[in-house]
């Protein structure tokens, strides 16, 4: 048996008045009668001067960076959900061309203080050289951080100062902020008093909604803070992170709390097409064991008390099923693969990223002694993801937190 583990942010208006002017023409008339001549003098020409032009210009909103930041904070305080992507770079502070590690992040927030981030970290040098993957979750304000090496989860009820978290909650404070206008929005820059190691924060904002588009932070810290991540030396390390935010107001599943006292491993499928979190104490079956058991699945895991996790990806074109919606795929599975089971409920929902999913729950056996849940999703109408968890009812109930967390951990394009 073998366990495979993968670790791991208004426009100035110009009012122009048009000048108008008016004037009167002059004329002359001469009349002659025999020897008497009468002359009519020309009238005096009067010219009226045009009114003075008055132009009113409001000062640019960027002149008062603090007022602009206050408006951005107010706009962000009204936002609840979004998706995000980010990058991180760890370089030598004296030579930024020397990169020791880099990271790619995806994340989302279902409501304020409820979010997740999956990080894929590539380390270039040292004993930890390679790629690790891990997740961080914030649930009701408590921060759960996964150890990349062991899969253990650590919880902190008080978080360190974080400018990204602050701006997303509408609470960011900057020292001596400045602002400039950019195409389609504004950039606000400044330092972050709660953490002096952060040299600079740059926030770009949409001019229409005043919501955050990107957040970039530049931070310098002692090399000792990165032991194992960078090679030994004396110079400081500069960390540059950039976050892109979008899809505000999207319907996302809330992140669930990791199972207590149970390590989980980020497990990749199809080169990162999707990942799930498998408890590290559940053993993965070898291809030979899968074949001997007569299972037509890609991978499988088993727990000591009889829970089995099976994962399969179906190419619906290769299977001659054709392009299929999620609802059609659920009906197909229910009528064929689950025909001899007692389907108790089918729940249509979304995952942490807002991707539509379905969960079919049921039992097997006359007395329902075995319970199962089958999570289904269809990408681009042609690739179906199928995750099944099945086991004795008592074992499922005893491990319900791990089962629910596993289902809640499904992420795509990781």
């Amino acid at each position: 048996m073998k366990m495979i583990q993968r670790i791991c942010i208004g426009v100035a208006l110009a009012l122009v008045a048009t000048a108008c002017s008016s004037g009167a023409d002059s004329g002359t008339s001469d009349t002659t009668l025999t020897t008497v001549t009468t002359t009519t003098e020309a009238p005096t020409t009067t010219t009226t001067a045009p009114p003075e032009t008055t132009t009113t210009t409001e000062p640019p909103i960027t002149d008062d960076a603090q007022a602009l930041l206050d408006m951005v904070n107010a706009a962000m305080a009204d936002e609840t959900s979004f998706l995000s992507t980010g990058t991180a770079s760890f370089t030598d502070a004296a030579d930024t061309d020397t990169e020791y590690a880099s990271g790619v992040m995806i994340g989302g927030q279902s409501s304020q203080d409820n979010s997740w981030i999956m990080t894929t970290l590539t380390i270039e040098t040292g004993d930890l050289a390679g790629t690790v993957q891990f997740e961080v979750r914030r649930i009701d304000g408590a921060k759960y951080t996964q150890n990349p090496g062991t899969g253990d989860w650590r919880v902190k009820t008080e978080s360190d100062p974080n400018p990204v978290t602050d701006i997303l909650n509408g609470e960011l404070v900057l020292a001596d902020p400045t602002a400039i206008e950019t195409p389609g929005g504004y950039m606000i820059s400044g330092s972050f008093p709660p953490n002096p190691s952060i040299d600079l924060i740059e926030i770009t904002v949409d001019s229409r909604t005043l919501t955050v588009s990107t957040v970039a932070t530049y931070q310098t810290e002692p090399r000792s803070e990165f032991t194992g991540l960078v090679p030994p030396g004396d110079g400081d390390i500069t960390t540059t992170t950039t976050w892109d935010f979008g899809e505000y107001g999207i319907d996302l599943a809330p992140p669930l709390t990791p199972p207590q006292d149970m390590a989980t491993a980020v497990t990749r499928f199809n080169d990162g097409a999707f990942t799930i979190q498998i408890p590290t104490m559940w053993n993965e079956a070898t291809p030979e064991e899968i074949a001997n058991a007569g299972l037509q699945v890609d991978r499988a895991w088993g727990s000591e008390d009889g829970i089995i996790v099976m994962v399969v990806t179906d190419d619906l074109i290769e299977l001659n099923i054709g392009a299929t919606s999620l609802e059609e795929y659920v009906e197909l599975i229910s009528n064929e693969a689950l025909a001899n089971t007692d389907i108790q409920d089918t729940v249509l929902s979304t995952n942490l990223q807002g991707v539509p999913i379905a969960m079919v729950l049921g039992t097997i056996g006359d007395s329902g002694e075995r319970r199962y849940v089958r999570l289904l999703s269809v990408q681009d109408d042609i690739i179906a993801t199928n995750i099944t968890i099945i086991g004795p009812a008592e074992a499922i109930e005893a491990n319900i937190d791990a089962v629910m967390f596993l289902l809640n951990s499904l992420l795509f394009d990781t």
Side-chain angles (χ1 to χ4, degrees):
M1 308 288 282
K2 178 181 179 183
M3 169 61 70
I4 296 179
Q5 300 180 18
R6 297 295 184 117
I7 319 295
C8 33
I9 148 191
V11 178
L13 301 176
L15 305 177
V16 180
T18 304
C20 60
S21 62
S22 64
D25 293 334
S26 63
T28 302
S29 175
D30 293 333
T31 303
T32 302
L33 180 60
T34 60
T35 60
V36 179
T37 302
T38 302
T39 303
T40 302
E41 295 183 359
T44 303
T45 301
T46 302
T47 302
T48 302
E52 294 183 2
T53 300
T54 302
T55 302
T56 302
T57 303
E58 296 182 3
I61 192 172
T62 52
D63 282 0
D64 191 338
Q66 183 59 57
L68 178 57
L69 178 59
D70 291 343
M71 289 189 288
V72 173
N73 272 327
M76 292 303 297
D78 291 335
E79 296 294 342
T80 55
S81 63
F82 58 81
L83 290 175
S84 58
T85 60
T87 60
S89 178
F90 303 84
T91 60
D92 192 300
D95 180 12
T96 55
D97 290 334
T98 302
E99 185 178 57
Y100 297 124
S102 61
V104 176
M105 297 88 74
I106 61 173
Q109 174 178 286
S110 59
S111 61
Q112 288 189 355
D113 287 330
N114 291 279
S115 60
W116 60 274
I117 298 172
M118 176 67 76
T119 299
T120 303
L121 185 65
T122 301
I123 305 170
E124 303 293 344
T125 60
D127 296 337
L128 299 179
T131 299
V132 295
Q133 200 164 24
F134 59 95
E135 191 175 359
V136 175
R137 295 192 173 203
R138 187 180 300 274
I139 301 172
D140 295 333
K143 183 178 180 180
Y144 297 82
T145 303
Q146 186 176 30
N147 184 302
T150 65
D152 291 319
W153 290 87
R154 180 171 59 108
V155 60
K156 291 179 62 178
T157 55
E158 295 184 4
S159 299
D160 297 328
N162 188 319
V164 178
T165 300
D166 287 355
I167 189 58
L168 295 177
N169 288 337
E171 302 170 346
L172 181 64
V173 175
L174 294 179
D176 301 320
T178 60
I180 61 173
E181 191 167 353
T182 63
Y186 312 100
M187 176 183 286
I188 306 173
S189 305
S191 58
F192 186 57
N195 188 346
S197 71
I198 297 180
D199 306 306
L200 178 66
I201 298 172
E202 295 177 337
I203 304 165
T204 62
V205 178
D206 187 296
S207 62
R208 300 164 300 170
T209 63
L210 294 182
T211 55
V212 171
S213 300
T214 67
V215 177
T217 62
Y218 305 86
Q219 185 170 3
T220 302
E221 296 177 284
R223 185 176 293 257
S224 59
E225 297 289 329
F226 300 89
T227 301
L229 189 63
V230 303
D234 298 324
D236 292 336
I237 300 299
T238 295
T239 303
T240 303
T241 63
T242 302
W243 282 100
D244 297 303
F245 298 91
E247 300 192 62
Y248 286 100
I250 189 172
D251 184 21
L252 306 177
L256 298 182
T257 304
Q260 187 175 9
D261 300 325
M262 181 178 291
T264 61
V266 179
T267 307
R268 294 165 58 89
F269 298 84
N270 301 342
D271 295 324
F274 66 96
T275 61
I276 56 176
Q277 295 261 15
I278 304 287
T280 57
M281 66 178 62
W282 296 4
N283 295 314
E284 183 171 8
T286 66
E288 293 77 11
E289 290 171 329
I290 292 175
N292 292 338
L295 299 176
Q296 296 180 340
V297 298
D298 298 333
R299 297 171 69 177
W301 288 259
S303 71
E304 291 184 355
D305 48 3
I307 296 177
I308 299 174
V309 179
M310 296 173 287
V311 179
V312 62
T313 302
D314 285 335
D315 186 319
L316 302 179
I317 301 299
E318 289 185 357
L319 293 176
N320 295 321
I321 296 174
T324 301
S325 68
L326 175 59
E327 291 78 5
E328 292 170 334
Y329 186 64
V330 170
E331 184 177 3
L332 176 67
I333 293 296
S334 299
N335 292 338
E336 294 189 9
L338 302 177
N340 295 323
T341 72
D342 180 14
I343 298 176
Q344 298 181 331
D345 199 3
T346 299
V347 180
L348 295 177
S349 184
T350 63
N351 77 335
L352 296 172
Q353 299 163 296
V355 177
I357 61 173
M359 288 184 287
V360 183
L361 298 84
T363 61
I364 299 175
D366 294 338
S367 59
E369 64 271 14
R370 293 180 65 80
R371 292 172 56 184
Y372 71 82
V373 56
R374 198 151 185 165
L375 187 154
L376 307 172
S377 183
V378 178
Q379 291 75 58
D380 300 322
D381 293 336
I382 59 174
I383 303 297
T385 302
N386 192 318
I387 302 171
T388 301
I389 304 176
I390 185 171
E394 298 82 1
I396 294 290
E397 189 62 34
N399 292 274
I400 193 64
D401 290 343
V403 169
M404 295 304 297
F405 181 76
L406 189 157
L407 297 171
N408 183 247
S409 71
L410 174 64
L411 297 174
F412 292 96
D413 298 325
T414 58

Coordinates of all heavy atoms in Angstrom, one line a residue, residues 4-5 267-270 284-285 290 297-301 309-312:
I4 N 0.4 8.6 -1.6 CA 1.0 9.6 -2.4 C 0.6 11.0 -1.8 O -0.6 11.2 -1.8 CB 0.7 9.5 -3.9 CG1 1.3 8.2 -4.4 CG2 1.3 10.7 -4.7 CD1 1.0 8.0 -5.9
Q5 N 1.5 11.8 -1.4 CA 1.1 13.1 -0.8 C 1.7 14.2 -1.7 O 2.8 14.2 -2.2 CB 1.7 13.3 0.6 CG 1.2 12.2 1.5 CD 1.7 12.4 2.9 OE1 2.2 13.4 3.2 NE2 1.7 11.4 3.7
T267 N -3.9 16.2 -2.7 CA -3.7 15.1 -3.7 C -4.1 15.6 -5.0 O -5.3 15.9 -5.2 CB -4.5 13.8 -3.3 OG1 -4.1 13.5 -1.9 CG2 -4.1 12.7 -4.1
R268 N -3.2 15.6 -6.0 CA -3.4 16.1 -7.3 C -3.9 15.0 -8.3 O -3.4 13.9 -8.2 CB -2.2 16.8 -7.9 CG -1.8 18.0 -7.1 CD -0.3 18.5 -7.4 NE -0.1 18.7 -8.8 CZ -0.3 19.9 -9.4 NH1 -0.7 20.9 -8.7 NH2 -0.1 20.0 -10.7
F269 N -4.7 15.4 -9.2 CA -5.2 14.5 -10.3 C -5.0 15.2 -11.6 O -5.3 16.4 -11.8 CB -6.6 14.1 -10.1 CG -6.9 13.4 -8.8 CD1 -7.1 14.1 -7.6 CD2 -7.0 12.0 -8.7 CE1 -7.4 13.5 -6.4 CE2 -7.2 11.3 -7.5 CZ -7.4 12.1 -6.3
N270 N -4.6 14.4 -12.6 CA -4.5 14.8 -14.0 C -3.7 16.1 -14.1 O -4.1 17.1 -14.6 CB -5.9 15.0 -14.6 CG -6.7 13.8 -14.6 OD1 -6.2 12.7 -14.4 ND2 -8.0 13.9 -14.7
E284 N -3.4 4.5 0.2 CA -3.8 4.4 -1.2 C -3.5 3.0 -1.7 O -2.5 2.4 -1.4 CB -3.0 5.4 -2.0 CG -3.4 5.4 -3.5 CD -2.9 6.5 -4.3 OE1 -2.0 7.2 -3.8 OE2 -3.3 6.6 -5.5
A285 N -4.4 2.5 -2.5 CA -4.3 1.2 -3.1 C -3.4 1.3 -4.3 O -3.4 2.3 -5.0 CB -5.7 0.6 -3.5
I290 N -6.3 -2.4 -7.1 CA -7.5 -1.9 -7.7 C -8.0 -2.9 -8.7 O -9.2 -3.2 -8.7 CB -7.2 -0.5 -8.3 CG1 -7.0 0.6 -7.2 CG2 -8.4 -0.1 -9.2 CD1 -6.6 1.9 -7.8
V297 N -11.7 2.3 -11.5 CA -11.5 3.6 -11.0 C -10.0 4.0 -11.3 O -9.2 3.1 -11.5 CB -11.8 3.8 -9.5 CG1 -13.3 3.5 -9.2 CG2 -10.9 2.9 -8.7
D298 N -9.7 5.3 -11.2 CA -8.4 5.7 -11.4 C -7.5 5.5 -10.2 O -6.4 5.1 -10.3 CB -8.3 7.2 -11.8 CG -9.1 7.5 -13.1 OD1 -9.2 6.6 -13.9 OD2 -9.6 8.6 -13.3
R299 N -8.0 5.9 -9.0 CA -7.3 5.8 -7.8 C -8.3 5.5 -6.6 O -9.4 5.8 -6.7 CB -6.5 7.1 -7.5 CG -5.4 7.4 -8.5 CD -4.8 8.7 -8.3 NE -3.9 8.8 -7.1 CZ -3.2 9.8 -6.8 NH1 -3.3 10.9 -7.6 NH2 -2.4 9.8 -5.7
A300 N -7.7 4.9 -5.6 CA -8.6 4.5 -4.4 C -7.8 4.5 -3.1 O -6.6 4.3 -3.1 CB -9.2 3.1 -4.7
W301 N -8.5 4.8 -2.0 CA -7.9 4.8 -0.7 C -8.8 4.0 0.2 O -10.0 3.9 0.0 CB -7.8 6.2 -0.2 CG -6.7 7.1 -0.8 CD1 -5.4 7.3 -0.3 CD2 -6.8 7.7 -2.0 NE1 -4.8 8.1 -1.2 CE2 -5.6 8.4 -2.3 CE3 -7.8 7.9 -3.0 CZ2 -5.3 9.2 -3.4 CZ3 -7.5 8.6 -4.2 CH2 -6.3 9.3 -4.3
V309 N -12.4 5.4 -0.6 CA -12.6 6.6 -1.4 C -12.1 6.2 -2.8 O -11.0 5.6 -3.0 CB -11.7 7.7 -0.9 CG1 -11.8 9.0 -1.8 CG2 -12.0 8.1 0.5
M310 N -13.0 6.4 -3.8 CA -12.7 6.1 -5.2 C -12.8 7.3 -6.1 O -13.8 8.1 -5.9 CB -13.6 5.0 -5.7 CG -13.4 3.7 -4.9 SD -14.6 2.4 -5.4 CE -16.1 3.1 -4.6
V311 N -11.9 7.5 -6.9 CA -11.9 8.7 -7.8 C -11.7 8.3 -9.3 O -10.8 7.5 -9.6 CB -10.7 9.7 -7.5 CG1 -10.7 10.9 -8.4 CG2 -10.9 10.1 -6.0
V312 N -12.6 8.8 -10.1 CA -12.5 8.5 -11.5 C -12.8 9.7 -12.3 O -13.7 10.5 -11.9 CB -13.4 7.3 -11.9 CG1 -14.9 7.7 -11.7 CG2 -13.2 6.9 -13.4

